[in-house]
Amino acid sequence: MSATDQPMIDFRKQYFADERDDNLNEIGKPTRRQDITGHVTGRSPFYDDHLFEGLLHMRCARSPHHAARIRRIDTAAAERMPGVVRVLTGRDVPRNLNTLLSLLDFGIDDEPLLSTDRVRYRGEPVAAVIATSEARARDAVAAIRVEWEPLPHVLDVEEAVKPGAPVVLDIYPTNKFAYHGRYDHQKLRFGDVEAAFRQADMVIEGRYQMSPIEQAPMETCGAIAAPEQNGRYVCHTSTQALFFSLATAAKTLETPSSRLHFIGGTVGGGFGGKVDSIHEPLAVLGAMLTGRPVKFMWDREEEMQVGAPRGAERWYLKDGVMRDGRIVARSFTGYFDSGAYTRLSSYAIIKGVGHLPGPYTIPNVSADVYCVYTNRTPATAMRGFGITGVDFAIEAHMDKVAEAVGMNPIELRILNAYRDGDMKAHRRIAKNCALIECCQVVAEKAGVKLSPAMLAAASTRDGGGERARLPTHTATDEKGRVQGFQASSYAKKGARPPAPPGAPALPHAPAARPAQPGAAQPAPAAAPPSVPPSAPTAPRAGAMRFSSLSGFRRR
Amino acid sequence: MALHRGRGFAAINYPIGMNLGGDPSQALIHSNPDGKFTVALSAIDLGQGMKSVTRQIAAETLGVPVEDVYVDTADSDTGPHDMGSFASRGTHRMGNAVIMAAREARSVMLEAAAEELEVDAADLVTDGRGNIHVRGAPGRSITTMAASQAAQFKQGRTIAGRGIFLIPLSDVDPDTGEMTPVSTFAHAAMLVEVEVDDETGEVTVTDMKSAYEVGRALNPRLVEQQLRGGAWMGMSHAAWETTEPYYPQRDHGPVDFNTYLMPGPGDLAPHHISILERPAEDGPYGGKGPGEMCANPVLPAVVNAIYDAVGVRIDELPATPEKVLRGLQAQGGARPKKRL
Amino acid sequence: MAVLVESHPTLTEAQRALGSDGTYLGGGTLVMRDVNAGTVQGRILRSSDPALRQIRASLDSVEIGAGVTMAMILAERDLAHLHPVARAVGGPQIRVMATVGGNLFAAHPYGDLTTALLALGARIVTAGGAQRPIEDFLRDRERAGLVAAVQAPRPREPRAFGFLKVSRVKPKGVSVLSIAAHLPRDGGRLRGVRIAFGAMGPTPLRAQAAERILEGATLEPGVIARAAAAAAEGLDPPTDALASAWYRREVAGVHLRRLLERMT
C-alpha cells in the first residue's frame, strides 16, 4: 500500500481486544467538545476578556546582564511620570523568596519575585511599574535607573559544574541541586554496568543535546487581580495549575489562601509554560497595594525570552551490546540546564530517571543526572517534561546501535522491548506494555519486512521469569556526596531567610501574623558554631503543603 | 544538486499520571433542579479537551446521556483542590476522581428512583439514555430527570458526589533511584520520511507513519487532535524550534513568530496514525493520556531519517540546514545509507 | 509619552510637518508594532494623498506610488513580474496593509520587494519630486525623507526577471535570503545585468562580482557556475535567529545558481 492509499487514522481494535469492553454508552464515542463552538467563534472567555473599570497595568524593569550585583534601584523618576500609580520593588513583597515545589515539600526557596541584591539571568525582574496604561507603564520602566555591577557568568552546563565556575546561587555552591540531602545528582543504579561493558561485544557511546524550547501558547501568560468584597481578591489567570498558583500567591504574599479567589479554566494553550505562577502573586500584590484592579501580562518578547522555556539537556549515553543486538548495559550522564533558579527542573529529573533506560529491558542500567544552575532564563515544564530530551537521546542512540550490529532498527527495538512481567530499572514490574505491537504496526504500514520471530513477538509473552529478577548485585557508590543539606526535602541550610527589612504589612493582613525570626536584624554572615541555627519553628504563614507525605525522603 | 530520501524510526513509552508530588485530584458533582448534572473541577482546559473527557466519564458513570452533564473548571471557590493540568494527569487522575464522585451521586439518584418505583435500589439499572429501570423489566422505569427532581423537591435529598484520587507519595531512593513514579505507560512508534537537499542542508519531512497506544481512547476525536498536533510539535522540535539558536550563548534569541521558527502549513507532512488501545488497570475506563507523549518519537525519528538519507548524524537539536550542511561538508558530501 | 496622529492631505505637507521628531506611518505593519512596543512615540504622520496609491504603467517602465500595497501589486496585471515578490511578503493580512514605501525602509530581514526593486534599477521619487537611484537611496535611507513613488523599468520579457526567496517557514516565513535578478538580453548576450540579495546585509545589496561575470556573457552552465561562486563577494550577511552569516554566505551561490538556471 503506498502512502497516499493509507488512511489518515485507523483504530487497531484487534490488539488487546480481550482486555476491553467496547460497548459503553459514552466512553469511546467521538463526542464533540463542550467548548468548541465558543472557541471557533471567538466567544470563549479567556482571562484577558474580563473587563474592569479603572484597570491598571503592570510591567517589569529587567536585568540587561547575565549576572550582576544591584547597587541601587532608583524609581523616583519613574514614580513621578504621568499615569504611574506605584512602583514595586522586592521590598514590597512580603516573602520575596520561593521555590515552586515547596508546595510539594521539595527544594529550598531560591527565587525572588523581584530581585533586590543580585540578578542571575538576563531579563530577571527587579521592579514592577503599575500605571494607568500599558504604554505609560513601559515609559516608566524605561525611566527606572539601576546601578549594576556586572558579575562573571556561566552559560554552559558542563562549564558550570567545573570547580571555580561562577556560582549562580549561593545555596548551591557547586551549581548543582542537592538530592535527598545526600548527592549532587539523582542516581539510578541497577546491576553493574561497568562489569557488563567489559563483557559486551561492543560499546557504543554518544552525546546528545536537546535545545531550549518555547511553549509558544497563542495566549501569553498573565493575570488580572482585583479587590473583591470582604477583604478578598479575585484573580483571573491563564494558569494551567490553579491551586499551584493560588498557593504560591498565598505563600509569597503571606496571605491566607481563603482570601484569594482564583478563576481560570479556559486557557489559550499551556504546554507546561503556565505552571510557574509568576503573574498571579504580583498582580494580586498590585491590587492589594493600589486597591485597584491590576493586570500583569507578558508581551510576546517576554513570553519568548523571559518566560521559562523547556530547558536544554545534555545527555551522554553508553551502551554495552552483544553481536545479536541484545543491549546488556546502558549508562547515562545527564545535565539539565535549569537556568538561574530551580522552578521544576529538579522534579523533571526524578521523573526522567524513573523512565530510564527507556522502553527496553536491560539488565544493567546506571544514571547520574544533574540539575545544573546557569545564568540563563530559568527552565520549566513543557509537554513531555523530563522525558522528551532523553527519549531523543535514547532513540537516536538506538539507531547507532542498530547500525553497529547490522540490524534492522525496528527489529532491534522489538528484540530489546520490555514486556509484561519484566523488572524495570526503577525496581518495579512492567505491566500493560505495548511497545512491540506499536513497532509491528508501523513496520507493516511502512512495508518494512520483519522476521517471523519479530512478527510473532508480543508484549504479553516471554516477559517475566528470569527477566523479573532484581540484579544479584548492584554496584552503588558515594560519588557526589554533599554536606550541609538536610534529608528532609524542605531542608534549609540554617534558618529561614529573614524578610527584607521594612517588609510592609499589607492592607487587611491578618492581625496575628507570626513573628519572623531574624526580621529585626539581619543574621550575621557567619554565626558562631556553638549557636545552632534557629529552627524554622514559626509556621509558614500563608504557605500550604500539598503532598500526602513529607517528600522525597529516603525509604 | 540532489535530493536524498531517507527513513527514520523511533519507539517510545511515556509515564502517565505522574505521582512524584503525592498530591490528590478532586471532583464534586451535583444534580441541578432540572435533573442535569454539574461537575465542578479545578482542573484546567488548555485546549486538550479536559472538559469534554471528564464530561464523558461523568456521563458514563452516572448512567446519563452526555448532554445531561456540564463541566465547570477552575474556580477556586467552587472547584475542590487540584494542583493543575500537567504531567499527563488530567485524564488519568482527574478522570478517576470524577468516577468516584459520579458513583456516589449515582447511588443517591438510584435510591431516589427506588423510592419512587417502590423497589430495591440494588435492582435498578440505567440505560444511558436518561432512564432508570428495574433490571430485566424495562417497563418499570423512571427518567433520571424525574428521579433527580423527586429527590430534591419531594424526598429532600441532595444528589451529589465527592471524588478524590490520591496515591501516596512515592519515595525515591537516593542510592539506587528505586521509586514508583507512575502506574502506567503509553506507547508509540514512528517512521518518518525526509528529503535532504545536499547543497543547502534543508530537510523536508514528507511523510509520517505512526502507531500510538493510548490506553482506551476515551474520545477518539480528542485523541486524534492530540496526536496530530503533538506530532507536528515533535517535527517542529526536531528541525525548527529553539529559544537560543546559538546555545549555550544567548545571542539572537527570537522575540516573535517571525524569528521563532516553527513549521508552517506548507511544511506539513501527511501523518498516518494507527491507534492501539490497551486499557490501563488504574486508568479511568482504561484511559491513559495521549497528549504529552505524542511529540516525543518524532524528534529522534527525524534525525535518524536524515542519517538514512545523507549519512549525517545530527546529535544536537534542532536539525537546522546549517548543521546538516556542516555535516555534509565534513564528510565530503552525501553518503546515503538506505537502511530502512 | 502619548502618541499623536496627524493626517495630511498631501505627502508634501506631511514631509513639511515631519520635522525631526515625527514618524511617518505607511501601511503600519512595521510602525504599529513599534508604537505598541512603546519604541515609537510622539507624532505619527499619515497622508491621504491619492497619488500615493496610484500605479502608472508605460511601455517600458512603471511608477508605483509609495502607498501601494502588496495586495494592490498582486491585483495589477502590469506588475506581473512583481507578483512572485509581493506574494512572498507576509500572509494575506500583511499584504493588504504593507506598502511599497514601507518596504523600502524595512530593516533586516524584511524588504523582499526592495530587493526586487534594486535588481530592476528602480529610481526613488521623494516627496519634493526629486529622483535618485535606489542604490543611493539605500545608502542613507534614514535621511532620505518621505518617498512618493518608485519608478522601475519593466522587464522586456518574462524570463529577464527572476526572484527567489529562501525561508525556513512555508509559506509565510521571513527571509534567510532573497535574490532578484534582472537579466536583459541583447542578441543572446546579457546586457545591463543586475543581481540583488536581500537579508545579506543591512539593506538589500547588489552582487557586483556575480554581475560582472554575467555581463556580456550568455547564460550557460559554466558562466552560471562562476557567477554562483562569486555570489557572496561584497555582501555582508548577518547572523540572526534564522541563520548564521556562515550559512547565508555558504548557500548564496547555490540559490543564485538555481535562480539563474530557472531563467535560462
Side-chain angles (χ1 to χ4, degrees):
Chain A
M1 198 154 48
S2 78
T4 48
D5 300 332
Q6 287 183 355
M8 292 308 276
I9 185 158
D10 64 347
F11 287 78
R12 303 288 178 116
K13 293 283 183 187
Q14 67 272 34
Y15 288 93
F16 311 112
D18 56 337
E19 297 183 26
R20 282 194 318 269
D21 170 9
D22 283 336
N23 296 306
L24 300 176
N25 287 317
E26 303 293 347
I27 296 298
K29 300 284 190 296
T31 307
R32 181 182 284 195
R33 308 170 53 123
Q34 176 184 318
D35 52 9
I36 196 65
T37 309
H39 283 5
V40 300
T41 57
R43 304 277 183 226
S44 299
F46 294 83
Y47 82 90
D48 195 27
D49 291 317
H50 297 276
L51 303 178
F52 289 88
E53 196 178 346
L55 180 68
L56 301 175
H57 300 259
M58 179 183 281
R59 276 191 72 80
C60 283
R62 302 183 178 282
S63 166
H65 301 288
H66 298 302
R69 204 169 297 289
I70 301 170
R71 286 213 191 101
R72 204 163 75 92
I73 303 175
D74 181 357
T75 60
E79 281 163 7
R80 285 195 302 270
M81 291 181 67
V84 173
V85 177
R86 177 131 191 185
V87 180
L88 307 182
T89 64
R91 300 164 75 94
D92 297 301
V93 183
R95 181 173 178 159
N96 194 23
L97 204 66
N98 181 45
T99 192
L100 279 177
L101 290 170
S102 62
L103 301 178
L104 301 177
D105 227 1
F106 186 43
I108 305 172
D109 286 346
D110 60 0
E111 183 171 5
L113 264 63
L114 297 170
S115 298
T116 54
D117 57 342
R118 205 171 133 186
V119 288
R120 298 175 174 85
Y121 67 97
R122 195 175 69 200
E124 182 160 1
V126 297
V129 171
I130 303 171
T132 51
S133 74
E134 208 213 324
R136 286 183 150 153
R138 280 179 188 273
D139 289 351
V141 163
I144 290 174
R145 295 284 165 260
V146 184
E147 277 180 41
W148 306 102
E149 178 192 333
L151 296 173
H153 65 270
V154 61
L155 294 172
D156 183 84
V157 284
E158 289 181 88
E159 293 297 322
V161 300
K162 285 182 182 161
V167 175
V168 178
L169 283 161
D170 292 339
I171 51 171
Y172 298 112
T174 59
N175 290 331
K176 290 175 280 191
F177 182 80
Y179 280 91
H180 320 292
R182 299 273 301 269
Y183 298 113
D184 65 7
H185 59 287
Q186 177 64 52
K187 291 176 190 287
L188 180 69
R189 297 287 184 272
F190 184 78
D192 187 340
V193 289
E194 292 305 327
F197 286 143
R198 287 192 292 273
Q199 285 155 18
D201 290 332
M202 58 188 98
V203 170
I204 296 152
E205 297 187 63
R207 175 190 185 272
Y208 304 91
Q209 178 72 49
M210 178 74 199
S211 189
I213 284 180
E214 156 66 12
Q215 295 83 1
M218 282 199 280
E219 167 200 63
T220 59
C221 289
I224 303 175
E228 239 184 15
Q229 300 305 304
N230 307 316
R232 302 181 83 215
Y233 294 89
V234 67
C235 180
H236 293 275
T237 158
S238 69
T239 185
Q240 66 183 92
L242 195 74
F243 274 85
F244 229 115
S245 297
L246 188 151
T248 299
K251 176 184 168 184
T252 53
L253 303 180
E254 297 194 324
T255 295
S257 61
S258 55
R259 291 179 60 216
L260 302 177
H261 178 194
F262 273 39
I263 302 173
T266 296
V267 170
F271 305 107
K274 290 177 175 169
V275 181
D276 284 5
S277 308
I278 302 291
H279 298 82
E280 297 82 0
L282 281 174
V284 174
L285 180 63
M288 285 175 163
L289 294 177
T290 63
R292 290 174 64 179
V294 172
K295 176 160 92 174
F296 180 30
M297 178 183 196
W298 277 336
D299 62 22
R300 185 59 65 185
E301 178 169 352
E302 289 173 311
E303 182 75 41
M304 287 190 170
Q305 288 295 320
V306 178
R310 177 203 292 287
E313 297 168 32
R314 186 168 302 155
W315 288 96
Y316 292 87
L317 258 73
K318 185 172 173 184
D319 278 3
V321 187
M322 306 310 286
R323 268 185 210 92
D324 63 4
R326 280 177 300 125
I327 301 168
V328 294
R330 173 170 283 178
S331 78
F332 297 85
T333 304
Y335 301 93
F336 270 59
D337 188 342
S338 181
Y341 298 105
T342 308
R343 301 272 174 102
L344 304 168
S345 294
S346 53
Y347 169 95
I349 285 172
I350 294 185
K351 180 182 173 189
V353 163
H355 171 73
L356 302 180
Y360 306 108
T361 294
I362 299 176
N364 302 282
V365 182
S366 158
D368 294 343
V369 189
Y370 299 84
C371 175
V372 182
Y373 300 98
T374 61
N375 290 108
R376 78 175 65 251
T377 306
T380 195
M382 189 176 178
R383 191 181 207 166
F385 195 30
I387 309 294
T388 302
V390 76
D391 272 358
F392 161 66
I394 291 170
E395 288 301 300
H397 202 68
M398 287 296 279
D399 207 57
K400 295 178 188 172
V401 172
E403 186 179 39
V405 297
M407 211 170 160
N408 173 309
I410 303 180
E411 295 202 337
L412 178 77
R413 266 78 168 197
I414 296 175
L415 176 71
N416 287 286
Y418 75 153
R419 302 167 189 234
D420 291 1
D422 288 0
M423 179 58 67
K424 299 173 72 181
H426 62 90
R427 292 179 154 74
R428 296 292 179 271
I429 292 290
K431 56 185 180 179
N432 199 244
C433 302
L435 190 81
I436 292 172
E437 290 74 11
C438 288
C439 290
Q440 290 164 334
V441 167
V442 168
E444 170 218 306
K445 285 164 59 150
V448 175
K449 212 164 145 35
L450 299 180
S451 72
M454 295 299 170
L455 284 171
S459 294
T460 50
R461 281 202 302 276
D462 304 323
E466 279 295 309
R467 295 160 63 109
R469 295 230 178 109
L470 284 169
T472 48
H473 164 68
T474 287
T476 58
D477 58 80
E478 294 277 304
K479 194 184 80 179
R481 196 69 207 237
V482 295
Q483 302 296 331
F485 292 89
Q486 293 168 31
S488 157
S489 55
Y490 211 72
K492 282 184 168 50
K493 296 177 82 175
R496 173 188 157 187
L506 293 168
H508 317 296
R513 197 151 142 249
Q516 296 172 359
Q521 61 213 31
S530 58
V531 180
S534 57
T537 47
R540 299 202 303 271
M544 286 177 279
R545 183 168 65 73
F546 285 139
S547 62
S548 56
L549 288 166
S550 185
F552 297 98
R553 296 159 313 166
R554 193 164 179 356
R555 295 166 60 79
Chain B
M1 163 203 168
L3 287 177
H4 303 271
R5 299 181 77 89
R7 307 213 292 178
F9 180 80
I12 57 116
N13 65 344
Y14 195 83
I16 299 298
M18 285 304 294
N19 192 51
L20 288 168
D23 52 298
S25 294
Q26 299 184 59
L28 294 175
I29 296 183
H30 74 275
S31 171
N32 301 318
D34 58 358
K36 315 281 189 194
F37 288 85
T38 296
V39 181
L41 309 174
S42 288
I44 310 283
D45 199 314
L46 306 160
Q48 84 278 44
M50 187 73 223
K51 285 181 187 175
S52 294
V53 76
T54 48
R55 185 184 185 208
Q56 283 176 269
I57 290 169
E60 183 74 45
T61 313
L62 286 163
V64 302
V66 76
E67 297 76 26
D68 287 4
V69 179
Y70 181 81
V71 177
D72 184 31
T73 56
D75 181 320
S76 66
D77 275 10
T78 55
H81 170 263
D82 171 59
M83 286 299 262
S85 297
F86 48 76
S88 290
R89 293 159 49 106
T91 295
H92 185 268
R93 296 176 66 100
M94 191 53 85
N96 276 318
V98 168
I99 288 175
M100 183 175 170
R103 280 192 184 136
E104 185 178 357
R106 174 188 166 91
S107 74
V108 182
M109 180 176 74
L110 293 185
E111 281 166 25
E115 194 169 320
E116 294 304 301
L117 293 172
E118 298 180 339
V119 296
D120 191 323
D123 295 332
L124 293 176
V125 293
T126 47
D127 68 356
R129 293 191 294 273
N131 302 299
I132 302 167
H133 63 80
V134 176
R135 185 178 287 106
R140 295 191 64 192
S141 76
I142 181 172
T143 64
T144 53
M145 184 196 286
S148 290
Q149 291 185 331
Q152 293 171 75
F153 301 110
K154 194 171 144 196
Q155 301 171 9
R157 288 178 208 260
T158 293
I159 296 192
R162 303 154 296 168
I164 185 165
F165 189 68
L166 173 66
I167 302 175
L169 186 72
S170 163
D171 288 331
V172 179
D173 189 301
D175 291 295
T176 63
E178 176 173 359
M179 64 174 112
T180 312
V182 289
S183 46
T184 192
F185 285 82
H187 301 87
M190 167 75 64
L191 188 136
V192 163
E193 296 184 11
V194 299
E195 275 178 5
V196 182
D197 184 324
D198 67 4
E199 287 183 314
T200 65
E202 289 166 312
V203 175
T204 308
V205 177
T206 55
D207 190 70
M208 297 196 278
K209 293 177 176 60
S210 68
Y212 285 94
E213 188 279 311
V214 298
R216 186 197 294 274
L218 302 179
N219 181 324
R221 275 197 195 148
L222 291 181
V223 168
E224 181 180 3
Q225 160 202 302
Q226 289 279 23
L227 300 183
R228 226 169 259 299
W232 173 87
M233 185 179 270
M235 175 176 155
S236 187
H237 282 23
W240 278 265
E241 288 186 65
T242 178
T243 55
E244 306 198 23
Y246 302 94
Y247 181 88
Q249 297 312 310
R250 291 210 60 199
D251 309 308
H252 306 295
V255 295
D256 58 25
F257 285 114
N258 282 337
T259 46
Y260 188 78
L261 300 177
M262 298 193 283
D267 298 301
L268 284 185
H271 180 191
H272 305 277
I273 301 170
S274 297
I275 292 172
L276 284 68
E277 299 172 81
R278 186 170 195 195
E281 268 174 32
D282 69 342
Y285 295 98
K288 295 180 180 174
E292 260 201 293
M293 61 118 164
C294 41
N296 292 357
V298 188
L299 286 67
V302 166
V303 299
N304 293 343
I306 292 170
Y307 181 75
D308 195 52
V310 293
V312 172
R313 288 279 184 207
I314 302 296
D315 291 334
E316 295 192 16
L317 293 181
T320 58
E322 171 160 352
K323 288 178 191 161
V324 176
L325 186 62
R326 285 186 188 274
L328 285 162
Q329 291 186 356
Q331 68 181 22
R335 292 186 188 168
K337 301 293 173 186
K338 300 283 178 195
R339 292 185 304 134
L340 252 179
Chain C
M1 211 202 297
V3 166
L4 182 71
V5 180
E6 299 173 13
S7 201
H8 296 273
T10 67
L11 192 71
T12 320
E13 285 162 274
Q15 175 69 71
R16 212 174 293 137
L18 193 61
S20 58
D21 61 330
T23 304
Y24 187 82
L25 183 136
T29 58
L30 298 167
V31 170
M32 274 315 295
R33 192 178 148 155
D34 291 340
V35 170
N36 289 335
T39 50
V40 163
Q41 300 197 341
R43 296 165 58 237
I44 307 287
L45 287 82
R46 299 216 58 187
S47 173
S48 47
D49 195 334
L52 290 173
R53 293 173 73 84
Q54 282 179 4
I55 300 171
R56 280 195 302 248
S58 67
L59 196 61
D60 55 359
S61 88
V62 61
E63 182 168 305
I64 310 170
V68 168
T69 64
M70 300 302 130
M72 289 165 72
I73 290 176
L74 284 164
E76 178 58 58
R77 211 187 306 171
D78 286 334
L79 296 178
H81 60 291
L82 290 178
H83 288 183
V85 189
R87 201 174 290 114
V89 175
Q93 296 96 325
I94 294 293
R95 292 197 286 267
V96 295
M97 295 171 67
T99 62
V100 172
N103 199 278
L104 286 167
F105 291 91
H108 171 87
Y110 309 111
D112 295 325
L113 185 78
T114 304
T115 304
L117 294 172
L118 177 60
L120 286 169
R123 294 179 70 79
I124 305 300
V125 185
T126 47
Q131 290 189 20
R132 56 203 293 220
I134 188 168
E135 288 94 325
D136 292 357
F137 165 82
L138 289 174
R139 219 165 282 132
D140 67 343
R141 62 182 170 180
E142 298 315 316
R143 292 187 299 278
L146 297 183
V147 171
V150 200
Q151 292 177 349
R154 291 174 70 179
R156 268 173 280 171
E157 47 170 350
R159 66 169 181 163
F161 181 75
F163 175 80
L164 175 152
K165 172 168 171 170
V166 179
S167 64
R168 294 289 324 278
V169 180
K170 296 170 185 64
K172 295 199 320 187
V174 297
S175 281
V176 171
L177 59 84
S178 61
I179 315 175
H182 191 206
L183 308 178
R185 286 171 170 82
D186 182 4
R189 302 231 165 238
L190 305 178
R191 300 281 178 211
V193 170
R194 291 174 68 96
I195 310 279
F197 273 85
M200 292 289 280
T203 67
L205 294 172
R206 283 174 65 184
Q208 287 172 327
E211 287 176 359
R212 279 193 297 273
I213 290 165
L214 293 169
E215 186 65 34
T218 56
L219 212 49
E220 58 184 35
V223 173
I224 290 175
R226 279 193 290 125
E233 263 180 53
L235 301 183
D236 182 18
T239 291
D240 61 17
L242 282 84
S244 70
W246 177 87
Y247 181 77
R248 286 190 158 99
R249 200 176 279 284
E250 206 64 25
V251 299
V254 173
H255 290 294
L256 176 60
R257 194 196 72 221
R258 290 179 186 182
L259 176 63
L260 294 177
E261 283 169 352
R262 239 168 53 192
M263 295 173 72
T264 53

